[in-house]
């Protein structure tokens, strides 16, 4: 539990209102308060509270502080709602929450912190966007506020970073929420698409303007307003489907027979020319991984993606951008790199002598790319070398369960060396549960290293995941180091994981870490 004793915040600035008209924006600025605890024990979690007007259904902002004094743990809506994993960029963190429910006449959420030292620790809170429950943008006053967390008996002041912070200003009037999957209905897949792009854009430190992702209300910004608009529009029929998928009698369940198999025959990174027609083919007639994932996402039924690419395993697919989300509500997908000729599963008792079938190569740490972003259940990823990338695999949401990640290398080049540090090998976010990472057979061993965190878990409901037979924070040869800061990290609520087991074949081996092997 965290202790809370409130002091008033100090107002630093005012919101500069958008000059562009925004559909449904509040005509007058709404006030809110930031309250900080004054009597906190060092090393015990605490929180600052945002008290917002009851009409606020979503809020996004920046939290700035001295990282030697505090850690930002997470966001806890008091009346219910969905919070997003804080994303670090620049000199602070972006936080967000949507689907918020008022409680006792106001909307409140806690920004949970862990104090690392005593004294008067300044925390700067800047609200960058807010929306009502219908997804209309709201204007808040006093958006830049400074709070002080009093820790222990220290009297010194640890100042928060100063300097300008951009407020999200739309460039166009807002429109109705969009159907990104283009199936004639706004559903969870569309919300998942916007949330995934929110994470990707925040990792790059951008919110508005050129290059942003799924701008749900077409106003020129991708922010929490878009997530709330997409949430409010759930189960709305748009009446227009740009591509009509082949529909089975009913969506298939996990474990049902495979309905479609797509054989990737090209290392190009081009999209499918006609998603939903049952044929994996880009504009040149090649079946690429991206095209196969496009088809698998559209088609009802369980799908399998295999590889028959000319060249020596592992063949390299150089990404030009993020791969499509694995998000189908109508079935599962298995991506099997070991189907590529010349590949071989691991047979070594220590480390891994596997020959990966396919290398999925990103564009380096600065590109902030995700490899595979999964928002549905029952998928399998095996036999892939995922490298030069910010985050290898992301499992995001309460509907993400019974996925299997086995027999992969994450964070290494073809020869097992390290190409440059990534951020997270496998991330479990916001309720991902009952997933299997590694499994007892030698062929199922994952090797993950040369990342800040090999496996990271965040948020309430991120429970009952199983981690077995993984080699973390070391190179595939089982001897050389591929140092991480943390092997397996649990943040802000995950519980009931199984790490290892009673049989030697279930054990994980964790190499050198700068901080902890396993952190709770």
């Amino acid at each position: 539990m965290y202790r809370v004793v409130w002091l008033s915040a100090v107002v630093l600035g005012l919101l500069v209102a958008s000059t562009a008209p925004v559909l449904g924006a509040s005509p007058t600025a709404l006030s809110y308060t930031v309250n900080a605890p004054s009597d906190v024990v060092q090393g015990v979690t605490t929180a600052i509270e945002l008290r917002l007007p009851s009409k606020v259904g979503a809020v996004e902002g920046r939290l700035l502080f001295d990282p030697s004094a505090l850690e930002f743990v997470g966001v806890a809506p008091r009346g219910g709602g969905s919070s997003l994993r804080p994303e670090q960029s620049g000199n602070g963190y972006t936080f967000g929450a949507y689907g918020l429910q008022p409680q006792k006449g106001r909307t409140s959420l806690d920004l949970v912190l862990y104090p690392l030292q005593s004294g008067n620790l300044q925390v700067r809170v800047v609200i960058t966007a807010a929306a009502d429950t219908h997804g209309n943008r709201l204007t808040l006053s006093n958006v830049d506020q400074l709070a002080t967390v009093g820790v222990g008996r220290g009297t010194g002041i640890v100042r928060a970073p100063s300097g300008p912070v951009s407020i999200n200003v739309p460039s166009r009037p807002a429109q109705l929420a969009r159907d990104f999957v283009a199936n004639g209905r706004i559903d969870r897949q569309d919300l998942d698409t916007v949330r995934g792009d929110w994470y990707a854009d925040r990792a790059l430190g951008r919110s508005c303007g050129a290059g942003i992702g799924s701008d749900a209300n077409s106003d020129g910004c991708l922010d929490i307003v878009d997530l709330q608009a997409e949430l409010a529009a759930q189960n709305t029929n748009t009446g227009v489907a740009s591509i009509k998928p082949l529909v089975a009698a009913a969506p298939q369940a996990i474990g049902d027979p495979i309905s479609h198999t797509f054989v990737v025959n090209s290392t190009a990174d081009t999209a499918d020319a006609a998603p939903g027609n049952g044929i994996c083919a880009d504009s040149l007639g090649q079946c690429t991984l991206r095209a196969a994932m496009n088809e698998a996402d559209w088609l009802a039924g369980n799908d399998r993606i295999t590889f028959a690419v000319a060249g020596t395993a592992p063949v390299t697919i150089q990404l030009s951008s993020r791969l499509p989300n694995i998000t189908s509500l109508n079935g599962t997908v298995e991506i099997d790199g070991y189907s590529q000729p010349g590949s071989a599963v691991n047979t070594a008792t220590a480390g891994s002598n596997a020959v990966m079938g396919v290398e999925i190569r990103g564009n380096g740490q600065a590109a902030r790319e995700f490899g595979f972003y999964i928002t549905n259940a029952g998928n399998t990823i095996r036999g892939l070398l995922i490298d030069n990338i910010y985050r290898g695999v992301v499992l995001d949401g309460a509907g993400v369960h019974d996925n299997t990640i086995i027999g992969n290398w994450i964070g290494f080049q073809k020869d097992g060396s390290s190409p440059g540090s990534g951020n997270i090998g496998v991330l479990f976010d916001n309720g991902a549960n009952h997933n299997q990472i590694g499994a007892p057979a030698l062929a199922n061993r994952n090797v993950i290293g040369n990342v800040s965190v090999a496996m990271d878990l965040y948020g309430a409901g991120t429970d009952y995941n199983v981690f077995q037979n993984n080699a973390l924070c070391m190179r595939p040869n089982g001897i050389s180091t591929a140092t991480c800061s943390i092997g397996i990290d649990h943040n802000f609520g995950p519980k009931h994981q199984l790490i290892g087991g009673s049989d030697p074949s279930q054990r994980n081996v964790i190499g050198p870490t700068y901080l902890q092997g396993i952190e709770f």
Side-chain angles (χ1 to χ4, degrees), residues 73-162:
V73 180
V75 180
R78 290 196 172 188
S82 299
S83 64
L84 298 161
R85 183 181 186 275
E87 282 291 334
Q88 184 176 14
S89 61
N91 59 354
Y93 287 81
T94 299
F95 65 89
Y98 61 100
L100 301 174
Q101 301 295 321
Q103 187 180 58
K104 297 180 180 179
R106 62 173 176 263
T107 300
S108 297
L109 64 157
D110 289 335
L111 306 178
V112 182
L113 304 166
Y114 184 80
L116 299 170
Q117 65 183 69
S118 64
N120 297 305
L121 314 182
Q122 290 185 349
V123 180
R124 187 176 167 200
V125 182
V126 184
I127 302 300
T128 57
D132 66 16
T133 57
H134 301 292
N136 298 309
R137 189 176 297 273
L138 297 174
T139 300
L140 298 179
S141 63
N142 305 333
V143 296
D144 195 337
Q145 300 195 28
L146 187 67
T148 300
V149 179
V151 181
R153 298 185 178 181
T155 58
I157 298 175
V158 181
R159 301 190 182 280
S162 58

Side-chain angles (χ1 to χ4, degrees), residues 2 15 82 122 177 202 227-228 283 298 317 369 407 446:
Y2 45 79
L15 171 67
S82 299
Q122 290 185 349
R202 293 312 172 274
L227 277 161
Q228 186 63 36
S283 60
W298 272 102
I317 297 174
E369 290 169 319
N446 295 302

Side-chain angles (χ1 to χ4, degrees), residues 121-456:
L121 314 182
Q122 290 185 349
V123 180
R124 187 176 167 200
V125 182
V126 184
I127 302 300
T128 57
D132 66 16
T133 57
H134 301 292
N136 298 309
R137 189 176 297 273
L138 297 174
T139 300
L140 298 179
S141 63
N142 305 333
V143 296
D144 195 337
Q145 300 195 28
L146 187 67
T148 300
V149 179
V151 181
R153 298 185 178 181
T155 58
I157 298 175
V158 181
R159 301 190 182 280
S162 58
V165 174
S166 298
I167 309 301
N168 296 356
V169 179
S171 58
R172 299 182 293 271
Q175 306 296 322
L176 295 176
R178 295 169 58 190
D179 177 14
F180 289 100
V181 181
N183 60 0
R185 183 180 180 84
I186 297 176
D187 56 23
R188 199 192 80 194
Q189 287 179 281
D190 302 294
L191 182 61
D192 291 343
T193 297
V194 178
R195 189 173 65 251
D197 283 356
W198 186 94
Y199 278 123
D201 281 357
R202 293 312 172 274
L204 286 166
R206 65 189 182 193
S207 303
C208 302
I212 60 170
S214 305
D215 179 5
N217 63 5
S218 307
D219 68 355
C221 295
L222 168 53
D223 54 22
I224 207 70
V225 180
D226 296 281
L227 277 161
Q228 186 63 36
E230 209 71 14
L231 177 66
Q234 288 292 287
N235 301 317
T236 299
N237 290 321
T238 62
V240 178
S242 62
I243 307 170
K244 185 178 180 179
L246 299 175
V247 180
Q252 283 185 272
I254 298 170
D256 282 352
I258 296 295
S259 295
H260 315 95
T261 297
F262 302 107
V263 181
V264 175
N265 58 21
S266 169
T267 59
D269 187 33
T270 47
D272 195 75
N277 67 355
I279 301 171
C280 175
D282 65 5
S283 60
L284 299 177
Q286 306 172 117
C287 182
T288 67
L289 173 60
R290 186 178 296 273
M293 292 176 69
N294 291 149
E295 284 293 332
D297 194 49
W298 272 102
L299 298 176
N302 296 335
D303 305 314
R304 188 166 189 255
I305 298 175
T306 63
F307 297 84
V309 180
T312 303
V315 295
T316 298
I317 297 174
Q318 175 63 58
L319 297 182
S320 57
S321 61
R322 250 181 66 202
L323 287 167
N325 292 351
I326 298 175
T327 185
S328 174
L329 304 181
N330 298 314
T332 67
V333 63
E334 175 188 358
I335 302 176
D336 185 7
Y338 288 127
S339 60
Q340 170 65 24
S343 64
V345 301
N346 173 57
T347 58
T349 55
S352 174
N353 62 5
V355 178
M356 296 292 111
V358 182
E359 176 189 24
I360 308 298
R361 183 170 177 79
N363 294 283
Q365 179 86 340
R368 296 294 196 268
E369 290 169 319
F370 304 163
F372 295 92
Y373 189 90
I374 301 172
T375 64
N376 70 321
N379 307 288
T380 298
I381 294 177
R382 66 189 298 264
L384 300 181
L385 171 63
I386 305 170
D387 68 339
N388 202 39
I389 203 160
Y390 188 60
R391 291 176 185 163
V393 179
V394 179
L395 301 104
D396 181 28
V400 181
H401 57 83
D402 295 290
N403 291 281
T404 304
I405 312 297
I406 52 174
N408 304 286
W409 292 3
I410 301 176
F412 304 98
Q413 293 178 325
K414 293 181 180 182
D415 62 358
S417 62
S418 302
S421 181
N423 177 245
I424 297 172
V426 182
L427 171 62
F428 303 77
D429 192 25
N430 285 318
N433 64 91
H434 293 89
N435 299 288
Q436 178 88 33
I437 311 300
L442 293 176
N444 294 331
R445 179 174 298 150
N446 295 302
V447 184
I448 305 173
N450 197 49
V451 288
S452 295
V453 181
M455 292 190 276
D456 187 291

